[in-house]
Amino acid sequence: MAGKFELKLSKNNKYFFTLQGDSGQVILTSEMYETKASAVNGIESVKKNAADDARYHRLAGKDGAPYFTLKAGNGQVIGQSQMFSDEKERDKELDLCKTHGPGAAVSDLTL
């Protein structure tokens, strides 16, 4: 399976990335970074940590909607999922992140 990272520039000139699955659905979204180099390092961190189940935190929003975060070895959140209607959907997307994250190609849309 081959997902892809899309590196993007926001309207306020900050860098971020998304990890997308085969069908183009966004699996994971990063924080905003001041520099492109930092965002690229974030992508590398996702690649390094995505296969490790211990790096995921299964959470619920204020309204109870399930979501997950992926943390680096230092405990910093490097990506967050969308909110889901149930835990089964969240866990399905989390598994996609584990599968696609380590080997996903990078598409730089900032050029």
Side-chain angles (χ1 to χ4, degrees), residues 15 26-28 40 50 57 64 67 70 73 87 105-106 109 111:
Y15 295 89
V26 174
I27 300 169
L28 191 75
V40 170
H57 294 261
Y67 70 101
L70 174 62
E87 291 178 1
V106 178
L109 303 179
L111 303 174

Side-chain angles (χ1 to χ4, degrees), residues 29-106:
T29 302
S30 75
E31 65 179 336
M32 294 291 179
Y33 295 92
E34 294 294 328
T35 67
K36 184 175 180 176
S38 294
V40 170
N41 287 340
I43 290 170
E44 291 306 314
S45 186
V46 171
K47 287 183 173 191
K48 178 180 176 184
N49 292 288
D52 185 351
D53 190 69
R55 300 282 188 228
Y56 291 91
H57 294 261
R58 293 157 178 87
L59 305 164
K62 291 179 183 177
D63 63 355
Y67 70 101
F68 66 87
T69 61
L70 174 62
K71 292 187 176 184
N74 65 4
Q76 181 178 352
V77 174
I78 49 180
Q80 179 176 314
S81 72
Q82 65 179 338
M83 299 291 190
F84 298 100
S85 58
D86 60 46
E87 291 178 1
K88 183 178 177 183
E89 285 298 314
R90 177 201 58 205
D91 293 344
K92 178 181 158 190
E93 291 294 307
L94 191 149
D95 286 341
L96 285 174
C97 193
K98 287 182 190 177
T99 303
H100 291 301
V106 178

